[in-house]
Amino acid sequence: STRVNFYSTAAGATYQPTLRWAFNGALQAGYVRRKGRGLRDLNSIGASGGASYRISQRTVMGLNYGYSTFSYPKLFGDNRAQFAGVGLSHQLSPQTQVQFRFGGFRLDTKSLGQAQVDPEIASLLGVPAQLEVQERHYYGWTAAATLNRDWREWGTSIGYMHGMNPGNGVILASKRDAVFGSAGRSLGRASFAVFGGYFRWSGLLQRTRLESGSIGASTGLRVAGDLFLGFNGGYSYFETPSAPRQWRRFVAAHLTWSPSAAAFRF
């Protein structure tokens, strides 16, 4: 419940030399500043690349690799994460598509931490612990599964993701699980949708967990041509081992300009 200033940019490109092969690359950078006392800021930058091969008209298999480095200003930096995985996309029918991804990650981090001093030395120095540079390595798995289904006016999507991320200000680098879903319908110039999600962070650098979730609805209206006006709102919550579940309301409005296949949202 505090102000957060968040800036992020990303760029990517895909090259398809044949009807079966495709290669892609992307760059990303982020900058987060949180006003709340005790919440951690974040600087991050990363790059990724991959290749995919169309096995058949309905099935595509791919490989991807990513590298990112991030730091917590005024706390510590030198965090490096690497990701690698394999993915599969299959069109069950013209209206239904499933996607799977599985892989692993490695996190290398250096930080200042407290180490207990031998009792005999502690009695001489009068100090029970001392600061030391701690270098740690963490390994884990990543996975994702999504199902998309489209009808003439309806569309639905459900999915699950597991991986590593730099945290959310309360928790530093952590493993994150996410379950999410949405359903929407278009009615002429208007569209309506409902959505929800559940997220759980399990700290790698800290022995703590945090859970959050949200549920909401959105509506959109074609104002003129490729210009759309939209509103969304709902409820969200967060919960930690030391704090009971707290619910919040949220509401937002946006304008979207969507020429051709692009989309620019304000």
Side-chain angles (χ1 to χ4, degrees):
S1 297
T2 186
R3 181 180 298 277
V4 176
N5 295 315
F6 174 81
Y7 308 91
S8 178
T9 184
T14 299
Y15 172 61
Q16 188 172 341
T18 69
L19 292 177
R20 290 186 180 271
W21 282 101
F23 303 90
N24 63 82
L27 299 172
Q28 173 273 331
Y31 173 93
V32 184
R33 292 298 181 268
R34 298 178 170 93
K35 300 296 184 181
R37 181 178 298 177
L39 299 181
R40 304 305 181 184
D41 299 332
L42 176 70
N43 295 333
S44 66
I45 186 170
S48 63
S52 62
Y53 180 77
R54 181 172 292 278
I55 300 173
S56 68
Q57 214 170 14
R58 292 187 175 187
T59 306
V60 178
M61 178 170 285
L63 299 170
N64 69 287
Y65 169 81
Y67 175 88
S68 68
T69 178
F70 55 93
S71 62
Y72 307 104
K74 299 181 181 179
L75 186 61
F76 67 91
D78 202 12
N79 303 288
R80 302 176 306 280
Q82 299 182 68
F83 309 84
V86 58
L88 178 70
S89 175
H90 181 67
Q91 198 84 26
L92 295 175
S93 71
Q95 297 82 25
T96 307
Q97 183 185 44
V98 292
Q99 294 178 314
F100 301 97
R101 189 175 72 247
F102 186 79
F105 72 85
R106 169 175 168 149
L107 172 65
D108 302 303
T109 178
K110 290 181 181 179
S111 62
L112 284 176
Q114 284 196 336
Q116 295 297 316
V117 178
D118 182 271
E120 295 182 359
I121 299 177
S123 63
L124 294 174
L125 299 177
V127 179
Q130 63 181 6
L131 288 176
E132 69 174 10
V133 176
Q134 299 178 346
E135 183 174 357
R136 299 178 181 177
H137 309 282
Y138 300 91
Y139 296 87
W141 57 278
T142 63
T146 58
L147 170 66
N148 301 296
R149 167 79 181 183
D150 293 317
W151 291 269
R152 182 169 296 178
E153 293 92 8
W154 283 89
T156 61
S157 177
I158 58 174
Y160 166 77
M161 295 180 66
H162 174 88
M164 193 281 295
N165 79 351
N168 56 16
V170 178
I171 294 180
L172 303 180
S174 59
K175 294 178 292 184
R176 190 182 76 157
D177 293 276
V179 181
F180 50 87
S182 65
R185 175 175 178 143
S186 60
L187 294 169
R189 297 169 63 91
S191 62
F192 305 90
V194 293
F195 56 88
Y198 167 80
F199 308 90
R200 182 179 64 192
W201 288 264
S202 303
L204 291 170
L205 307 180
Q206 306 141 295
R207 293 183 179 179
T208 187
R209 290 171 58 180
L210 184 146
E211 297 181 7
S212 72
S214 64
I215 186 170
S218 66
T219 181
L221 176 68
R222 181 191 295 270
V223 178
D226 297 321
L227 186 65
F228 298 82
L229 172 66
F231 301 92
N232 64 65
Y235 289 86
S236 65
Y237 79 89
F238 67 89
E239 181 179 0
T240 70
S242 59
R245 179 170 298 185
Q246 301 182 47
W247 285 90
R248 296 289 186 270
R249 295 183 295 270
F250 65 89
V251 62
H254 62 84
L255 279 172
T256 300
W257 179 48
S258 182
S260 299
F264 304 91
R265 178 163 292 185
F266 309 91

